[in-house]
Structures are given as C-alpha cells and as structure tokens.
Amino acid sequence: MRIDIVSIFPDYFAPLDISLLGKARRRGLIEVHVHDLRQWTHDRHRTVDDTPYGGGPGMVMKPDPWGEALDAIAPGGQSADAAPRLIVPTPSGRPFTQAMAVELAAEPWLIFACGRYEGIDSRVVEEARTRMRVDEVSIGDYVLAGGEVAVLVIVEAVGRLVPGVLGNADSVADDSFAPGSMENLLEGPVYTKPPVWRGRAVPEVLLSGHHAAIARWRRDQALRRTAANRPDLIAALDPARLDERDRQV
Ligand SMILES: N#Cc1ccccc1Cn1ccc2ccc(-c3cc(N)[nH]n3)cc21
C-alpha cells in the first residue's frame, strides 16, 4: 500500500516512523510519503489561506496549492495503474468506522489531505472527484484544529489491517467492530502476569484452562461492558444471536 499525506505540518507524521507502522514501512509493506503543502505555493510568504467568501470567522485554505499538490502527486488521476483514493478528514464527513478501515486497507493507494483553519476550499474536493475517488471522513463528533491527528488515527487503524503488518492475524479477526464478526461487542478486560498484583487476583476462570468456561466468561464480560458503555450496540444486537445465558448478563 502506498500512502501520500499532504499537510502544512509534515512533522506531525514523525510517529509514522516508529512502532508497528515504522516496522511495516521498513519491511516494505507500506510506503509513506509526506508532503509539505507549501511546496506548491509561489509567493514570498508561501500563503495557503485566505478570508472566507461570504464573511465569517477564521480563514479558508486556498484551492490553488491543493490543486497543484494533487496534480503533482497523482498526475494520472484515475488512470488504470494509478487509482488513488483521496481521504479528506473533516468534522462534516462520513463517520470513520472499522468497516471503512477494512475497506481502505484493501486500497493500493491512499492520499490524505490535511486541512487547517476552517477547512479547504470546497472546489478542491469537487474537482478531485472528477479524477479520483474522494471520501470526506470524520473520526468523531468533536472538532479538531486540523486534519493531521485524524490522519494519524486513520492511518493506524488502516495500516494494522494491511496483510503482514500485525504479527498475529487472528487478533484482527477478533477486533471489536470487525465487520462480519458475530456482533459488535466491546472488548472485555484483559490480564497478564503476575497472578496477584497489589492484592488483586486474576479471575480464577482465566487460570483454569477450561476453554469453554473462559469463552463464556469473556462473552459475559464483553456483554456487561457493552451494556454499560455502549447501550446502542446492545440495542442493535440481533436477539436471535443472544442465548439464554446472555440474557441473564
Ligand atoms: N474543517 C474544519 C473545521 C471547521 C470548523 C472549525 C474547525 C475546523 C478545523 N479543521 C480544519 C481542517 C480539519 C480537518 C478535520 C477536522 C476534524 C475532523 C473531526 N472528526 N473533527 N475535526 C477539523 C478540521
């Protein structure tokens, strides 16, 4: 997978050189190119923003630098061998979900546009749609100061799904919210050594070696945590998938 990221703060993406994604890059599983948008400005002040038409607070990112950046990064647009998918984080985008992460992990080439100020002139997305697939994506119902943090979130969620990046493929299949998984339940509690820590013992069942009982306990814990923190997910469960024991939890 190739990833291009365009931002006026390229240093935001230093974390992509470490940990899981850093290893994936060194192993050639993911190729990441970070670009400073200002390299496509031509004035002395390297201007990327201007006042909004129609008035209102703040500034808006000018279309010209973005148009030139996307032209330079994806000159072929939708040509056969280079079909990038442009992801534009915005508070007004479609919710980013695990299902979307799975979908994006199958793409050969993603380009991320990191807006700042009050956003990017809307004609940039409009024009990009004429030559590539574009997704405007929100990572949650809160407002960030720009798209960079959202891109780090998306790149991590997508990158870990790229085949070979995670050591143990099974852990991806067990992910909460994994599409096609039995149902959307939150992860239950996890434990490791020591068996007693500051007087707190690991639940006996996890030390029992009784796999059916362990699976049952884990499902109970997942149901309890989901009911407590995400009652909306419980409401969305298919009743047919809940057995008598589940209903008692
Ligand atoms: N746009 C906009 C905007 C609109 C109003 C106020 C502040 C901003 C700041 N901003 C500029 C770029 C940009 C990108 C993504 C987010 C973003 C995503 C999620 N899920 N929350 N925030 C915010 C971004």
Side-chain angles (χ1 to χ4, degrees):
M1 170 184 281
R2 174 176 171 136
I3 293 177
D4 286 276
I5 302 170
V6 184
S7 166
I8 59 172
F9 297 119
D11 292 350
Y12 247 99
F13 300 98
L16 296 184
D17 288 336
I18 56 179
S19 186
L20 201 67
L21 287 168
K23 279 193 205 121
R25 290 175 73 175
R26 285 185 287 281
R27 290 167 57 205
L29 295 170
I30 301 176
E31 189 187 334
V32 179
H33 303 270
V34 181
H35 311 269
D36 183 342
L37 178 67
R38 293 189 196 274
Q39 75 179 73
W40 288 286
T41 61
H42 308 291
D43 64 304
R44 191 154 58 93
H45 299 294
R46 310 189 80 196
T47 310
V48 293
D49 63 314
D50 204 334
T51 53
Y53 275 122
M59 304 291 272
V60 172
M61 297 194 96
K62 296 164 59 66
D64 291 320
W66 281 106
E68 290 186 31
L70 294 177
D71 290 347
I73 293 165
Q78 281 288 28
S79 69
D81 58 343
R85 189 160 173 180
L86 176 63
I87 310 296
V88 183
T90 166
S92 50
R94 275 193 310 133
F96 179 65
T97 62
Q98 188 67 13
M100 190 186 288
V102 169
E103 189 186 322
L104 295 181
E107 292 288 339
W109 184 10
L110 299 176
I111 301 177
F112 290 90
C114 299
R116 278 274 151 173
Y117 309 103
E118 300 297 311
I120 302 171
D121 183 301
S122 293
R123 290 168 292 182
V124 172
V125 162
E126 191 183 304
E127 192 268 346
R129 289 193 195 282
T130 66
R131 53 203 184 87
M132 63 185 82
R133 295 173 63 187
V134 181
D135 297 86
E136 294 181 280
V137 175
S138 165
I139 62 163
D141 294 339
Y142 39 80
V143 181
L144 301 167
E148 285 79 7
V149 167
V151 169
L152 283 170
V153 166
I154 296 167
V155 167
E156 175 146 324
V158 171
R160 66 187 287 278
L161 297 175
V162 171
V165 170
L166 272 190
N168 171 1
D170 293 346
S171 59
V172 171
D174 295 345
D175 273 352
S176 294
F177 312 112
S181 70
M182 287 283 280
E183 60 259 311
N184 274 348
L185 291 180
L186 301 182
E187 305 289 341
V190 290
Y191 302 87
T192 186
K193 301 181 192 63
V196 181
W197 178 72
R198 294 189 179 181
R200 297 170 189 278
V202 169
E204 274 301 317
V205 66
L206 298 180
L207 310 176
S208 69
H210 191 311
H211 298 296
I214 290 169
R216 177 72 260 177
W217 182 87
R218 283 177 168 163
R219 181 173 172 81
D220 291 353
Q221 295 299 316
L223 282 163
R224 282 204 181 99
R225 183 174 274 183
T226 307
N229 295 342
R230 288 294 302 276
D232 58 303
L233 296 179
I234 293 288
L237 286 177
D238 175 359
R241 286 197 179 283
L242 295 175
D243 62 30
E244 204 38 54
R245 182 80 182 71
D246 292 338
R247 291 191 179 85
Q248 293 163 15
V249 170

